[in-house]
Amino acid sequence: MAAALVLLLAVLAPGAARADQVPLLAWSSRSKLWPPATIGSEGHVVTEPQLQALLGPALDQGPHNVLLFLQEKLSVEDFTAYGGVYGNKPDSAFPNLEGALSDAGSALVLPAVAGEAAGAVPLLLREHLGAGPLHVDPPTLRQLRLNASVPALLLVRLPYATGSSLMAPKEVLTGNDEVIGQVLSALKEEDVPYMALLTAPRPSRVLREVLGTVPGPLGRQLLETGPEPVYPPLQFPSGAFPLLLFWARNLSVARDGVWRDLTDATFGSHATVNLSRSSWGPTEARLVLSYKEVFNSSLTITSHMTNKWFPVSGRNWSSLEWVEMVEGGAAAPVTFNASGVSVPALYSWRCGLLGTMGLLTPRTRPDPAAAHWQLLLHDIQLQAFNVTGRRFSYASDCAGFFSAPVWMGLLPGALLAAVLAYGLHMLLGLRAMDRFDDPKGPSIAVPQTE
Ligand SMILES: *[C@@H]1O[C@H](CO)[C@@H](O)[C@H](O)[C@H]1NC(C)=O
Ligand SMILES: *[C@@H]1O[C@H](CO)[C@@H](O)[C@H](O)[C@H]1NC(C)=O
Ligand SMILES: *[C@@H]1O[C@H](CO)[C@@H](O)[C@H](O)[C@H]1NC(C)=O
Ligand SMILES: *[C@@H]1O[C@H](CO)[C@@H](O)[C@H](O)[C@H]1NC(C)=O
Ligand SMILES: *[C@@H]1O[C@H](CO)[C@@H](O)[C@H](O)[C@H]1NC(C)=O
Ligand SMILES: *[C@@H]1O[C@H](CO)[C@@H](O)[C@H](O)[C@H]1NC(C)=O
Ligand SMILES: *[C@@H]1O[C@H](CO)[C@@H](O)[C@H](O)[C@H]1NC(C)=O
């Protein structure tokens, strides 16, 4: 029954095949292979030429020993759902991968790469290295003699689901992470510089999350890369029961091209931001960040969020509507409309980049005042409704497979599938009558036991 439902879901889920995008992680023992701030996600899907432009130079200049972990399937949701968060790191399915990324000299994390671009990665590596792929597993790798000046392409295939049985994805991913750990430690013993990539030719689908509610009591977020965030999310109101949570790795504003990094003023124990003008209601919330002195004057950044019921998807959606910046007391506000920043209200919204270069656009166009201002948020996570504690709920990534439009389509699809599956179940449950009722013949004796 459950299998039938899953099967139907797979057939019916609209958008599932369309949103053919997979994450790609690359890291190397060599530093400075990629510029620090490479393509932000912002709903952007990396195309094949862009991927070639990112990987090509690194392959030509970087280490010649390249390790490709090719998982059968992978979606950014696997990281969102099974990666650890601040407090529950031990719960993560990717301890070795996270370790490798944080120890790496340089790393490249692309949440969304077009499926065909990711599928062409083996060929791309082969062309740049001039070496064919060698399938390896941890034991054979230990016997292999690698030489830093001889190019080698080592391919490690990782499963996603075993056969037809629906082994919990988390178990499979944990197993894969162990393989990654073993391979990397074997490589460390050899002491040759290397570059490693993890991707998949196809996205996986974390079906469990489609019908269920928010998994687990603890918040989840995208796999952490780079230094561990040292500060907790900003909360409003402060105290044990916040209504609104906000976190970003970097919050910066620019006036006339001069940048001010407000991260330290906003998060952590030395924060000086004043939140007292923020407000919260069940359908509307405002996060007002007031800074005493930025560009020689006070600055207020207001984010306006709404919680609305959408009959189409049968659920409430939380959206960021607009962001306003006011300098000083009297100056006219500069307003930016936000587009596409929405998420089922029970979830938090996460994005690699939110800013005036992308999802935020001036409310009136042309707006000469807005042209002076820029706002940039790196790795933002935001939840304004249905906050259950001091941690974020499950995060929906802006570049994710289950981005808003897909969710919109998926839910009615899932409902339909459930109804169909129920109907099928009822049909299969019917039993044919043994004999036809013949009014002239002897009446049917109904056996008491069958
Ligand atoms: C690595 O390969 C180069 C060129 O083929 C060779 O000269 C060198 O001795 C090799 N190094 C080791 C440690 O095998
Ligand atoms: C934050 O972003 C701004 C603007 O891109 C940059 O100037 C600043 O160095 C960044 N801060 C950190 C800590 O990376
Ligand atoms: C925050 O701002 C409000 C009014 O804008 C003010 O009354 C309050 O004293 C400020 N709090 C701090 C800690 O500065
Ligand atoms: C801030 O004020 C100082 C001194 O009054 C001045 O030198 C500086 O240019 C001002 N900075 C900006 C961004 O206006
Ligand atoms: C859903 O949104 C409506 C407003 O459109 C609001 O009245 C209601 O409280 C919301 N429900 C939930 C569960 O957030
Ligand atoms: C921004 O949003 C406001 C209110 O929703 C709307 O009136 C305005 O036309 C929008 N501006 C742009 C440029 O889309
Ligand atoms: C979500 O929040 C709304 C508004 O605060 C509340 O009415 C509703 O019960 C919450 N739903 C869940 C599932 O927590």
Side-chain angles (χ1 to χ4, degrees):
M1 177 61 202
L5 181 62
V6 169
L7 203 74
L8 273 169
L9 261 180
V11 173
L12 287 177
R18 257 183 284 133
D20 187 16
Q21 44 186 262
V22 297
L24 183 143
L25 312 180
W27 66 99
S28 174
S29 49
R30 182 84 55 87
S31 59
K32 300 202 180 104
L33 277 189
W34 296 284
T38 9
I39 303 186
S41 38
E42 212 161 288
H44 178 83
V45 181
V46 177
T47 60
E48 201 167 334
Q50 285 168 333
L51 188 64
Q52 280 176 1
L54 280 169
L55 293 182
L59 284 167
D60 295 339
Q61 301 154 21
H64 296 308
N65 285 284
V66 177
L67 204 58
L68 174 61
F69 296 101
L70 203 55
Q71 190 160 286
E72 193 190 336
K73 293 183 260 177
L74 182 67
S75 281
V76 76
E77 279 64 36
D78 292 323
F79 295 123
T80 343
Y82 308 117
V85 217
Y86 318 113
N88 67 334
K89 273 283 169 206
D91 197 27
S92 168
F94 310 97
N96 290 307
L97 185 58
E98 285 170 61
L101 281 171
S102 62
D103 294 346
S106 45
L108 175 73
V109 176
L110 304 173
V113 173
E116 66 229 44
V121 163
L123 198 67
L124 177 75
L125 297 182
R126 197 184 174 144
E127 276 170 8
H128 279 268
L129 295 171
L134 193 63
H135 289 253
V136 291
D137 50 17
T140 53
L141 189 62
R142 279 180 205 281
Q143 287 158 18
L144 218 63
R145 282 278 142 263
L146 292 174
N147 180 333
S149 52
V150 179
L153 173 55
L154 309 175
L155 180 64
V156 183
R157 287 198 178 271
L158 301 170
Y160 186 80
T162 43
S164 59
S165 79
L166 282 174
M167 190 174 162
K170 182 165 182 181
E171 282 168 46
V172 182
L173 292 171
T174 308
N176 289 349
D177 186 70
E178 265 161 37
V179 172
I180 294 177
Q182 286 166 12
V183 167
L184 292 178
S185 74
L187 214 60
K188 232 176 228 163
E189 279 170 30
E190 299 241 4
D191 198 27
V192 287
Y194 70 92
M195 175 171 145
L197 294 106
L198 168 68
T199 190
R202 287 183 292 144
S204 65
R205 267 162 283 171
V206 187
L207 282 171
R208 211 159 50 85
E209 263 83 47
V210 177
L211 287 173
T213 48
V214 183
L218 292 171
R220 308 270 185 188
Q221 72 156 42
L222 192 72
L223 181 68
E224 277 303 333
T225 56
E228 185 73 5
V230 284
Y231 42 82
L234 189 70
Q235 55 178 68
F236 173 79
S238 58
F241 305 102
L243 297 163
L244 196 155
L245 295 174
F246 168 57
W247 192 89
R249 188 181 299 287
N250 183 336
L251 191 173
S252 300
V253 289
R255 197 186 64 183
D256 296 324
V258 181
W259 284 94
R260 286 280 182 281
D261 189 341
L262 299 178
T263 316
D264 292 338
T266 313
F267 304 101
S269 49
H270 303 296
T272 53
V273 69
N274 186 337
L275 291 182
S276 65
R277 282 160 62 199
S278 306
S279 60
W280 189 92
T283 56
E284 263 188 41
R286 258 173 213 221
L287 176 67
V288 184
L289 305 171
S290 306
Y291 302 91
K292 265 215 184 93
E293 182 144 345
V294 186
F295 303 119
N296 287 353
S297 141
S298 66
L299 178 72
T300 306
I301 304 174
T302 306
S303 310
H304 184 91
M305 284 139 306
T306 55
N307 179 16
K308 287 188 200 142
W309 167 256
F310 281 86
V312 182
S313 56
R315 54 164 62 201
N316 272 46
W317 285 74
S318 156
S319 316
L320 174 66
E321 301 285 340
W322 43 262
V323 176
E324 184 184 88
M325 299 206 276
V326 187
E327 193 183 30
V334 189
T335 311
F336 297 94
N337 281 3
S339 61
V341 185
S342 62
V343 61
L346 293 177
Y347 293 0
S348 64
W349 182 82
R350 191 226 165 258
C351 202
L353 203 63
L354 170 71
T356 43
M357 295 90 147
L359 301 178
L360 300 177
T361 46
R363 165 159 290 183
T364 50
R365 266 188 276 195
D367 183 349
H372 292 284
W373 288 93
Q374 274 171 290
L375 177 68
L376 187 79
L377 292 132
H378 265 287
D379 280 350
I380 174 181
Q381 192 162 1
L382 183 65
Q383 186 174 3
F385 302 96
N386 292 100
V387 172
T388 51
R390 284 168 155 183
R391 283 210 176 93
F392 287 107
S393 302
Y394 178 85
S396 173
D397 195 280
C398 62
F401 184 62
F402 287 125
S403 52
V406 180
W407 272 110
M408 282 278 192
L410 212 51
L411 275 141
L415 270 180
L416 194 64
V419 171
L420 260 174
Y422 180 71
L424 259 184
H425 176 68
M426 294 308 275
L427 274 176
L428 293 175
L430 284 183
R431 278 164 197 275
M433 264 191 283
D434 296 359
R435 276 154 271 176
F436 287 101
D437 202 357
D438 179 1
K440 283 187 212 131
S443 62
I444 295 170
V446 179
Q448 291 300 304
T449 54
E450 195 176 72

